Amino acid sequence: MIKNYLLITFRNLMKNKLFIFINVFGMGLAIACCITAYLNWGYSSNWDKTHDKAQSVYRVQFWREFQGKKNRFGMAPMPLGSFIKQNIKEVDKTVRYMSSYCDMRIGEEVFGDQMAYADSAFFDLFTFQLKYGSYSNFYDKGKVFISDKIAKNYFNKEDVVGQSMTQIVLGADGVRRPKEFEIGGVFKKPPQNNSFGFDVITLFDNFWDVNLDKELSESNWKRWAHVLFLKIEDPAKVAIVTKQLQQYIEPQNKVREDFKISEYYLENFVGLMQRNRANPRLDSDYLGGGIPDEAITAPAIMAVLLLLLACFNFTNTSIAISGKRLKEIGIRKVMGSLRKQLIMQFLGENLILCFLGLLAGLLMAEWLVPAYDNMWTWLDLNLSYTENVGFLLFLILLLVATALIAGSYPAFYITSFEPVSILKGKAKFGGTNWFTRILLGGQFVISLLAIIMGVAFYQNGEYQKNYDLGFVTHGVISAWVNNENSFNTYRDALSSNKDIQLIAGTRHHVANSRYNDPVKYESIEREVDIMDIGDNYLEVMDMTLLSGRKFQKDSETDRKESILVTEEFVKQYGWKDSAVGKRVVWMDTVQLYVIGVVKNVYTQALWGPIQPLMLRYANKDKYQQLLVKVEPTKIASVNDYMEKKWKEVFPNTLYTGQWIDQELQETNEINKNVSVMFGFLGFFAALMTGIGLYTLVSLNIEKKMKEIGVRKVLGASVANISGVINFEFVVNLGVATVIGGAAGYFAADALMDSIWEYYMKLNVLTLLLSVTVMVIIAVAAVGYKTISTAMLNPTKTLRVE
């Protein structure tokens, strides 16, 4: 019996090869997108899952309330860890964690990396697979632990315990000196979905050798540790510890009247990343990492929409094919077949088709998953069928679900007919009905929504690409020099290059550094972004002075009390008259005077609301970065020249040059990738909808062949007959246009609003363009079939009937 079922299935597949190919391709594409979305979700949900003891690890965080607004922070006062260790017995272990960029030398090779500094209990709290060495070595200040990745890259082997490596330490005097370490352990590099991305880690005591902040010390409550972890074995003690932490609010608030803590709280490490991305998003999160929620939901929505389209098409095609098999069903019922056997036959055929679609999807996923992974730097998707039981279960459920969704209607409906009515020709199955109209309407809605999203994100990408951020976004290279002496040396080395138009020194740079403090004007106090800039910075960055004057070179008065402010700064303080000459107070005591107003500067690019910005004139001994301005067409050659000179003057440190294009890369990358994603969705959604419409038109024509013949005999024109065939599709398209247009407008606006603060709002032109594309697709799908049918000789139609 099974052999006969399979034989019937095979014959039916061969009779409808084109429809089968179309549906297998569509289903395969949708399944490939579902696989990608599932792996993307799994990558995020497994964040930090490698740490076995995470349930007993807590991070100290705090709330700060300022002017009625509450924000969360992930840093902790530097002395807090010592006080907890000495006074709160419910805490089993404390670990401070800091990281900073460093230059390391192994033999003749120099590499730059983030070096982590942690207290000795770090490896008791967090799980790292140690491949060589002993954890006891971590208690030795003279030893470091490195990843197997670093070992392979620079030693060409993994077991390098006992070998030496040199850290190049920048001293307070501006001189770089070597500091020797012995490698005490080699750990396996964790997967990328991990909060700790370091390749080199050493004991926290070594941090003080690289610290250049004179106020950052073990006892100064004004400065912060990046992260403070507590290990609390008994969950019942968490509330007790939290209560005791509140006694350390006062010491910090006494020394920072301008930055007061409201409440300490403990955040469990399990699920830390997801919770800290919720609103209000955690500020000062030095662990970082994680995937934005939009990056999880957008691919999932795309996959679901494509899967629905594929199922709708599958159902329409199944209806078309099943309608031709009424006589087969009638005869089989007369011969004694039970209805449940016929249902199993049809569902089995659909399951086989879906299985073929699954195979096609797996093949497409081999291309689609790596392609999607390469779009995002923070992703590392692994398409493995043997290492993930959940993934295999997902594939099985996906197969069964698609088979049931796509094949249930024709299987249960067509097998309900009585054999007598079938064989007498009274039973009719085919044409359009409310169910097929709903399917088509759903396809129209989804396709229009997808097209609107694709057009909207493309237009927004072009809009944001040309958005005036208040500074130049091409033709600037910055390099970290870290002190005045290095700045002077490097500047002199570069001065002979005629392609360099201008050189500037600065402490902060709009693309990568600034700080934030409260500033008061009379009774109004606001938190503002602050940058300390040097000579020529405004000119290199093409910042526009709107009124007043710039800083005068080497003016001590300007260094002590003069500031430039942005338009948003003026707006925040409600200044209606000239801002020049206004006096503000910073850090409760420092009086500063506005000497000029510059055009608005978007320090957060377009992600968040524009912040008021205050510019101060930096002392040269505070210079951290050197900037050069060049023609954008010559930036590559100048960058090569800068790297060559860097190696000459700083042979023990890695070249740190960055194009401002690269520093703003995240904005451009997301714009480009989101446009590609929704363009992909729009194209294939429209393609599958066109195929589905062609199928339904074919069904409708079969139903109305006699009517068409009679109309032709009575003199109906091609246009009239085309209207008869397609009237209900035109109505369906009209209704779907309204629904899909509204859904697309609100969906695109909501998604863009969740990503950016400033974006291009959807307009009538976008909607009209999207609807036009949809109409063109519909006309192309039905035009040929309709016209060819309308031009048939009516005698052939009536003779058949």
Side-chain angles (χ1 to χ4, degrees):
M1 184 174 67
I2 295 177
K3 179 180 178 181
N4 289 333
Y5 284 167
L6 292 175
L7 185 61
I8 293 171
T9 299
F10 179 75
R11 286 174 177 172
N12 281 303
L13 293 180
M14 291 300 100
K15 288 179 183 177
N16 302 279
K17 290 187 286 291
L18 177 61
F19 284 122
I20 298 307
F21 173 78
I22 289 172
N23 278 285
V24 168
F25 174 79
M27 188 67 71
L29 180 66
I31 289 175
C33 290
C34 288
I35 290 172
T36 305
Y38 175 84
L39 293 175
N40 189 54
W41 167 82
Y43 182 82
S44 174
S45 62
N46 287 321
W47 200 273
D48 284 326
K49 287 294 178 68
T50 57
H51 300 295
D52 300 333
K53 304 172 186 176
Q55 69 278 358
S56 62
V57 177
Y58 298 83
R59 181 162 78 170
V60 177
Q61 301 181 170
F62 65 84
W63 286 96
R64 176 179 180 246
E65 188 170 355
F66 182 75
Q67 296 184 339
K69 184 180 179 181
K70 294 185 69 176
N71 287 309
R72 302 183 295 161
F73 291 80
M75 56 193 182
M78 183 58 78
L80 184 58
S82 298
F83 277 82
I84 292 174
K85 190 174 183 178
Q86 295 170 13
N87 303 317
I88 303 181
K89 64 180 184 301
E90 287 81 6
V91 174
D92 298 292
K93 292 180 180 179
T94 63
V95 172
R96 294 167 299 174
Y97 178 87
M98 301 280 282
S99 67
S100 68
Y101 176 85
C102 75
D103 290 300
M104 304 292 293
R105 189 177 68 217
I106 300 176
E108 298 301 319
E109 295 285 342
V110 177
F111 68 95
D113 206 340
Q114 286 295 116
M115 187 166 183
Y117 304 86
D119 286 316
S120 57
F122 179 81
F123 288 110
D124 294 330
L125 272 62
F126 300 105
T127 305
F128 285 77
Q129 182 183 338
L130 193 65
K131 302 178 80 170
Y132 304 98
S134 170
Y135 285 123
S136 61
N137 290 332
F138 194 67
Y139 291 83
D140 188 340
K141 182 181 176 181
K143 294 183 179 180
V144 294
F145 281 37
I146 67 172
S147 69
D148 53 0
K149 173 186 173 184
I150 292 292
K152 288 177 184 176
N153 287 348
Y154 295 99
F155 291 98
N156 292 320
K157 60 179 181 178
E158 292 187 357
D159 187 2
V160 293
V161 173
Q163 299 204 37
S164 62
M165 61 189 301
T166 305
Q167 181 183 17
I168 308 301
V169 178
L170 176 66
D173 57 0
V175 178
R176 290 179 169 84
R177 298 179 177 87
K179 180 180 179 181
E180 298 296 329
F181 283 103
E182 181 184 320
I183 298 174
V186 178
F187 58 86
K188 182 179 180 181
K189 178 74 174 176
Q192 198 167 324
N193 54 344
N194 192 294
S195 292
F196 301 104
F198 59 80
D199 282 295
V200 183
I201 185 170
T202 188
L203 202 60
F204 193 87
D205 292 347
N206 288 304
F207 172 75
W208 304 115
D209 294 332
V210 301
N211 173 44
L212 295 176
D213 186 349
K214 296 178 181 178
E215 291 191 310
L216 180 57
S217 67
E218 297 270 14
S219 59
N220 191 344
W221 289 85
K222 292 178 69 174
R223 293 293 187 261
W224 311 91
H226 289 171
V227 188
L228 176 59
F229 293 112
L230 307 182
K231 184 176 183 181
I232 306 174
E233 294 284 4
D234 185 359
K237 295 179 180 179
V238 173
I240 300 172
V241 175
T242 302
K243 184 177 180 180
Q244 294 186 69
L245 282 176
Q246 311 314 313
Q247 64 184 302
Y248 300 110
I249 293 176
E250 186 179 357
Q252 196 279 333
N253 288 350
K254 275 186 177 180
V255 298
R256 286 295 302 270
E257 290 286 338
D258 60 330
F259 192 92
K260 292 187 174 182
I261 291 174
S262 303
E263 178 189 6
Y264 284 112
Y265 69 99
L266 298 179
E267 193 71 68
N268 188 248
F269 197 74
V270 177
L272 182 79
M273 179 274 294
Q274 289 91 344
R275 292 193 300 277
N276 283 341
R277 282 189 170 274
N279 288 325
R281 183 165 175 172
L282 188 77
D283 200 347
S284 302
D285 186 3
Y286 288 95
L287 290 182
I291 300 179
D293 292 338
E294 298 80 16
I296 303 300
T297 56
I301 291 172
M302 286 179 55
V304 170
L305 291 178
L306 283 175
L307 187 62
L308 284 175
L309 282 172
C311 289
F312 290 169
N313 263 349
F314 199 109
T315 301
N316 283 335
T317 305
S318 297
I319 292 171
I321 294 173
S322 300
K324 300 176 182 179
R325 299 174 64 183
L326 284 173
K327 288 185 179 180
E328 173 196 336
I329 293 169
I331 293 172
R332 290 179 66 178
K333 281 195 170 186
V334 169
M335 298 297 293
S337 291
L338 300 176
R339 186 189 177 196
K340 65 179 182 180
Q341 292 175 318
L342 295 174
I343 290 174
M344 291 302 297
Q345 170 74 42
F346 280 93
L347 287 179
E349 291 178 9
N350 289 324
L351 184 62
I352 290 174
L353 284 177
C354 288
F355 180 72
L356 294 175
L358 177 62
L359 293 179
L362 292 175
L363 291 175
M364 292 182 192
E366 293 290 339
W367 161 79
L368 188 61
V369 171
Y372 183 77
D373 180 59
N374 291 332
M375 290 172 66
W376 308 102
T377 56
W378 33 262
L379 264 185
D380 186 19
L381 301 184
N382 179 26
L383 185 59
S384 173
Y385 304 108
T386 57
E387 297 178 4
N388 191 336
V389 177
F391 180 48
L392 294 176
L393 181 61
F394 167 76
L395 292 178
I396 295 171
L397 291 175
L398 188 61
L399 173 64
V400 174
T402 50
L404 290 176
I405 293 171
S408 295
Y409 175 75
F412 283 93
Y413 179 51
I414 196 173
T415 56
S416 65
F417 291 129
E418 294 297 328
V420 175
S421 60
I422 293 175
L423 297 177
K424 285 185 176 182
K426 294 181 179 180
K428 297 293 182 184
F429 186 74
T432 57
N433 55 40
W434 65 269
F435 184 71
T436 56
R437 293 183 190 113
I438 290 175
L439 292 183
L440 181 62
Q443 287 181 288
F444 279 141
V445 169
I446 293 173
S447 293
L448 185 56
L449 186 151
I451 293 170
I452 290 173
M453 298 275 272
V455 173
F457 275 96
Y458 174 78
Q459 290 180 333
N460 180 66
E462 294 300 308
Y463 168 78
Q464 291 191 339
K465 189 186 300 181
N466 301 310
Y467 198 94
D468 185 3
L469 298 177
F471 56 91
V472 67
T473 55
H474 303 285
V476 173
I477 304 174
S478 62
W480 289 88
V481 291
N482 299 315
N483 59 72
E484 182 183 4
N485 290 338
S486 296
F487 169 80
N488 292 333
T489 302
Y490 195 38
R491 178 198 59 197
D492 294 341
L494 299 176
S495 59
S496 61
N497 190 312
K498 296 180 180 179
D499 290 333
I500 296 178
Q501 300 173 351
L502 199 60
I503 298 177
T506 187
R507 182 182 181 186
H508 299 107
H509 180 28
V510 66
N512 56 40
S513 59
R514 61 187 177 277
Y515 58 107
N516 187 279
D517 272 331
V519 173
K520 183 179 287 188
Y521 171 74
E522 296 179 349
S523 61
I524 303 173
E525 188 174 24
R526 298 283 187 268
E527 286 193 330
V528 304
D529 285 339
I530 305 172
M531 290 174 52
D532 300 341
I533 64 173
D535 295 325
N536 298 328
Y537 185 82
L538 293 179
E539 290 79 6
V540 168
M541 295 303 297
D542 281 349
M543 292 183 178
T544 305
L545 184 71
L546 300 176
S547 62
R549 66 173 178 85
K550 300 178 182 178
F551 297 122
Q552 293 180 351
K553 188 172 182 179
D554 297 328
S555 169
E556 286 301 319
T557 301
D558 279 356
R559 287 194 178 104
K560 289 180 180 178
E561 59 183 40
S562 298
I563 57 171
L564 296 170
V565 299
T566 59
E567 298 168 282
E568 184 65 21
F569 190 103
V570 173
K571 179 182 176 182
Q572 289 280 340
Y573 289 92
W575 296 338
K576 303 299 182 183
D577 53 347
S578 174
V580 177
K582 298 288 187 185
R583 180 179 66 87
V584 299
V585 178
W586 171 54
M587 295 184 71
D588 294 329
T589 58
V590 182
Q591 298 187 41
L592 302 170
Y593 296 88
V594 179
I595 63 168
V597 178
V598 299
K599 192 175 182 179
N600 272 337
V601 175
Y602 291 77
T603 54
Q604 301 181 44
L606 302 178
W607 305 112
I610 186 170
Q611 298 297 314
L613 176 65
M614 181 173 82
L615 302 174
R616 302 189 66 219
Y617 189 32
N619 284 315
K620 291 183 179 179
D621 62 358
K622 301 293 185 182
Y623 282 2
Q624 294 288 305
Q625 299 183 66
L626 178 145
L627 278 69
V628 302
K629 182 178 183 180
V630 301
E631 285 290 333
T633 55
K634 298 179 179 179
I635 193 167
S637 61
V638 171
N639 186 67
D640 292 339
Y641 176 83
M642 290 177 65
E643 184 172 8
K644 177 183 176 183
K645 288 296 181 181
W646 181 279
K647 291 179 179 178
E648 292 177 5
V649 297
F650 308 123
N652 289 325
T653 59
L654 199 68
Y655 174 60
T656 58
Q658 280 277 337
W659 303 4
I660 194 167
D661 314 57
Q662 296 169 322
E663 291 171 313
L664 299 173
Q665 182 180 0
E666 185 179 14
T667 298
N668 298 328
E669 181 183 77
I670 289 180
N671 271 325
K672 175 186 174 183
N673 291 345
V674 170
S675 297
V676 169
M677 286 169 57
F678 283 103
F680 175 88
L681 172 64
F683 174 78
F684 282 103
L687 177 64
M688 284 194 274
T689 297
I691 294 170
L693 181 58
Y694 178 84
T695 303
L696 277 187
V697 168
S698 300
L699 288 170
N700 199 35
I701 287 173
E702 284 185 16
K703 181 181 179 182
K704 296 183 177 182
M705 289 301 287
K706 184 176 181 180
E707 178 186 348
I708 292 169
V710 172
R711 286 177 178 272
K712 287 281 287 184
V713 170
L714 295 176
S717 65
V718 172
N720 178 268
I721 294 174
S722 298
V724 171
I725 295 173
N726 295 314
F727 175 75
E728 63 178 293
F729 298 120
V730 173
V731 174
N732 199 320
L733 178 60
V735 174
T737 298
V738 175
I739 299 173
Y745 177 86
F746 289 110
D749 187 73
L751 186 55
M752 286 194 284
D753 186 62
S754 69
I755 300 174
W756 297 288
E757 183 70 25
Y758 304 99
Y759 58 92
M760 185 176 181
K761 298 280 187 179
L762 267 72
N763 50 44
V764 176
L765 181 61
T766 302
L767 293 175
L768 288 177
L769 179 61
S770 303
V771 171
T772 301
V773 172
M774 188 73 255
V775 170
I776 291 173
I777 292 168
V779 171
V782 305
Y784 171 76
K785 186 71 175 177
T786 301
I787 293 173
S788 61
T789 303
M791 296 181 69
L792 276 176
N793 189 326
T795 57
K796 293 182 179 180
T797 304
L798 296 175
R799 185 182 301 121
V800 171
E801 291 295 323

